[in-house]
Amino acid sequence: MKIEEIKANVLPTHVALIMDGNGRWAKNKGLPRTAGHKEGLSSAKKIVAAAAKLGIKYVTLYTFSTENWKRAQEEVGYLMTLIKGHLRAEFQFYKNNGIKIEHIGDLSGLPKDVQSEIIKAKEETKDFTGTTCILAINYGSRDEIVRAVKKLIENKQVSSLITEQELSSQLDLPFVPDVDLMIRTGGEQRLSNFLLWQCAYAEFIFTDTLWPDYTEDEFFDNIIEFQKRNRRFGSVLETK
């Protein structure tokens, strides 16, 4: 069993997932794009539960980007309804798996009812101590960095001596460590404006698997691959 091959002492602390391929999965089956998003939600639940089983502390899901507003109005409306309905209906899933919900992105730019569901989910799960599932909704990394700089200006903290630590402290969730492992499904090999700052030394795994077909076993394979990587963080390992 693949989960038994994973070394508990070399787990990534923070895994980020670009869940790509929902639309193509639906098209391949002759279904509307909305069907792909619905199936993608089921995959997201399975992978978050698998991460919780392993004891991974943080999982960030690229749920809806600042650029996704450019999609067809019908698809955007469906995605907002799907997000709202999921947050409302899945409390028992979060509780059973000890999952704490957090959010990154511009909350103020979302519909009021979606904002309310995000705030409610965060409040209801705030005391859970398992995996923290971070939902990137109305999120763009450049937007996050710009908003962080604006906070520094508002707090009159901007100077020629500004440090990485000061800027990091103004990001959406400054207490969350940088990404250790970034996984993107769907065959594309780019970051798409996702966690640019936090991925400075992330390991990357790209898979051709469309997100609705991404399984726990493939996730475990990706964790095993991560554990084989030689992470130097810019240094050179000494050879004996």
Side-chain angles (χ1 to χ4, degrees):
M1 189 175 178
K2 291 178 179 176
I3 193 170
E4 294 173 350
E5 300 174 32
I6 295 173
K7 302 171 185 176
N9 62 336
V10 201
L11 286 173
T13 299
H14 185 180
V15 176
L17 290 145
I18 299 177
M19 307 176 291
D20 197 14
N22 291 337
R24 280 172 285 159
W25 180 91
K27 183 179 179 181
N28 291 344
K29 295 182 178 299
L31 298 170
R33 288 177 61 86
T34 52
H37 294 308
K38 185 175 181 181
E39 191 66 26
L41 174 58
S42 297
S43 293
K45 287 178 62 178
K46 286 186 290 187
I47 299 309
V48 171
K53 186 187 300 183
L54 289 176
I56 293 171
K57 293 186 181 300
Y58 299 95
V59 175
T60 301
L61 304 178
Y62 205 5
T63 307
F64 189 89
S65 77
T66 51
E67 289 73 37
N68 287 157
W69 296 108
K70 301 173 186 175
R71 295 186 178 185
Q73 187 175 354
E74 179 184 1
E75 183 177 357
V76 170
Y78 180 82
L79 285 167
M80 289 297 111
T81 300
L82 191 65
I83 291 167
K84 182 176 65 175
H86 168 74
L87 290 168
R88 183 178 300 164
E90 298 299 342
F91 175 75
Q92 198 59 46
F93 168 74
Y94 304 142
K95 183 177 180 181
N96 291 345
N97 292 279
I99 293 167
K100 178 180 178 180
I101 296 297
E102 286 286 359
H103 169 259
I104 55 173
D106 185 0
L107 187 67
S108 66
L110 289 165
K112 294 293 184 183
D113 54 352
V114 176
Q115 291 183 40
S116 296
E117 292 299 334
I118 292 172
I119 292 167
K120 183 178 179 182
K122 289 175 58 177
E123 178 63 26
E124 289 181 341
T125 63
K126 66 180 182 180
D127 295 323
F128 295 168
T129 58
T131 296
T132 296
C133 179
I134 303 164
L135 302 176
I137 305 174
N138 195 27
Y139 177 84
S141 188
R142 288 181 173 180
D143 175 71
E144 180 187 27
I145 293 168
V146 167
R147 288 187 286 107
V149 171
K150 287 180 178 178
K151 290 175 192 174
L152 288 173
I153 293 171
E154 289 169 3
N155 296 332
K156 298 181 180 179
Q157 294 177 1
V158 176
S159 73
S160 59
L161 301 177
I162 188 170
T163 65
E164 289 184 16
Q165 290 74 21
E166 287 172 327
L167 183 54
S168 292
S169 73
Q170 300 302 319
L171 295 175
D172 288 348
L173 294 178
F175 59 86
V176 175
D178 284 349
V179 176
D180 296 301
L181 172 61
M182 170 70 75
I183 301 169
R184 179 169 187 152
T185 64
E188 304 292 353
Q189 298 188 19
R190 55 178 177 266
L191 273 175
S192 296
N193 196 21
F194 186 45
L195 299 174
L196 303 177
W197 182 276
Q198 296 89 337
C199 281
Y201 280 100
E203 298 295 321
F204 291 85
I205 292 179
F206 300 102
T207 171
D208 291 335
T209 304
L210 301 178
W211 178 249
D213 292 329
Y214 187 75
T215 64
E216 296 98 323
D217 278 348
E218 186 167 1
F219 179 66
F220 294 149
D221 279 339
N222 292 161
I223 299 299
I224 292 167
E225 169 61 26
F226 167 83
Q227 295 186 331
K228 296 176 181 176
R229 301 280 179 93
N230 181 6
R231 305 188 75 203
R232 299 189 300 275
F233 299 95
S235 66
V236 178
L237 292 181
E238 294 183 5
T239 56
K240 295 182 179 180

